[in-house]
Amino acid sequence: MQVFTVSEINGYVKSIFDEDAVLSEVVVTGEISNLKNHSSGHMYFTLKDESAAISAAMFKWNRKWMRFVPENGMKVIAHGKITLYEPSGQFQLVVTSLQPDGAGELFLAYEQLRRKLEGEGLFDRSRKKPIPEYPERVGVVTSKTGAAVQDIINVISRRYPPADIVLCPVQVQGIGSSQQIAAAIAFLNETNACDVMIVGRGGGSIEDLWSFNTEIVVRAVAASDIPVISAVGHETDFTLCDFAADLRAPTPSAAAELAVPDGNALLDYIRSLSYTCRESVKMRIKHLEMRTDKASHICEANSPQKQLQSKKSSLDNALLRINASVFSKYESAVYRFSSVCAKLAALNPLSVLSRGYCIASDGDRTLYSAQEAKECDRIELTFVDGSINCTPIE
């Protein structure tokens, strides 16, 4: 015979519990006793009736969805699974949701429909559509006489006056209310009457809010092409409509604030943007003016007219230098010519002759002495105004 350890036995029994289809999802009703709220956020208690009791635990990530505070002696309906706590070998109910027993039948219907629609993917986050930032028309599906519609109208009118409110009045509780709500959602989609839709009502009991837990309404919300904001009851009220909607608001007033932007904040943003744009344009203009001035100076400095003026000035200066050089050379030449002329004048025989001298010659030969003249038969004397022939005598 095989021998098992206590841990092996407990592990084996736990596996049996966990694999059992019935025990994996149970709904148990009973009275709370030995309630302990652990510092970790978990809650431990005993669920009992007249003849039996079972240990139960509810972990903090499931407790945040509760809409009431559990107390000892309270009759509740617990939804969860049966498992074995291996360290002590004690089986227990791990609770995923808890509801006061006063709404037992509705709660069971709620849970059954929730599981069904969740299994179909109607609550998936991937289906959620974004809420438009600046809607022109806001559809409202609610009662025309309740406080919710007035709250919505007041908030939208004050917060974002440009938005038009398209009211689709419906009955929000009682016989036929579910059909009216679903029909109103479908009508707003068929007529494309709005950019975003608020579906909801004010607070009440679970029976009062039940129209928003019906399958026809939840499917209408999930099928809407227009983004839907669910605003059913107060902050602690959760309906299946909330899960199917694109956005949940804790109250109708909060839904109105989520549906439209804050007009005053937009005006402040526009003023800030306008100031930024003006300053940016001023800086851009100033920068362009500086570039234009610089380009103008460059163009002016390199313009053909400027270059022509510069060349003309250079030419004028060159002409002045040439003229000065020519004049200087002319004066120098004149001076040299005058000097040469003076020298030539001084050496000119005519000048000598004009002073009373004459030149004696024998044909082509100039006579320089009387002895040479005596030897000639005939001599020619040249004066300034002519010449004569003569015969030399001893």
Side-chain angles (χ1 to χ4, degrees), residues 296-366:
S296 177
H297 292 153
I298 293 173
C299 289
E300 183 178 352
N302 294 278
S303 66
Q305 184 178 3
K306 192 75 173 180
Q307 293 185 18
L308 183 60
Q309 183 66 33
S310 176
K311 298 297 183 183
K312 185 177 179 301
S313 297
S314 298
L315 182 59
D316 290 343
N317 292 332
L319 288 174
L320 289 174
R321 290 194 300 272
I322 291 171
N323 289 335
S325 177
V326 170
F327 183 74
S328 175
K329 291 181 178 180
Y330 170 75
E331 285 188 333
S332 177
V334 168
Y335 175 77
R336 289 196 305 272
F337 180 74
S338 298
S339 298
V340 170
C341 286
K343 291 179 180 179
L344 289 174
L347 299 173
N348 189 356
L350 295 176
S351 297
V352 177
L353 295 177
S354 66
R355 293 197 299 270
Y357 294 97
C358 66
I359 299 173
S361 63
D362 179 14
D364 295 330
R365 184 171 65 93
T366 301

Side-chain angles (χ1 to χ4, degrees), residues 20 24 56 59 108 119 148 177 207-208 211 247 252 263 287 293 303 318 386 389:
D20 189 282
S24 64
F59 301 123
L108 287 175
S177 58
E207 291 83 1
D208 295 335
S211 296
L247 183 64
H287 176 67
D293 291 342
S303 66
N389 292 319

Side-chain angles (χ1 to χ4, degrees), residues 235-291:
E235 186 171 358
T236 56
D237 296 318
F238 277 84
T239 64
L240 297 180
C241 183
D242 295 332
F243 300 127
D246 299 294
L247 183 64
R248 176 191 179 265
T251 63
S253 297
E257 292 185 357
L258 293 171
V260 296
D262 186 347
N264 292 328
L266 280 177
L267 287 175
D268 291 340
Y269 173 73
I270 291 171
R271 293 190 187 100
S272 174
L273 190 62
S274 175
Y275 173 79
T276 302
C277 288
R278 286 198 305 270
E279 292 302 310
S280 178
V281 169
K282 286 180 182 178
M283 291 181 63
R284 182 63 176 167
I285 291 174
K286 186 175 181 180
H287 176 67
L288 290 176
E289 286 177 346
M290 293 175 62
R291 289 184 60 185

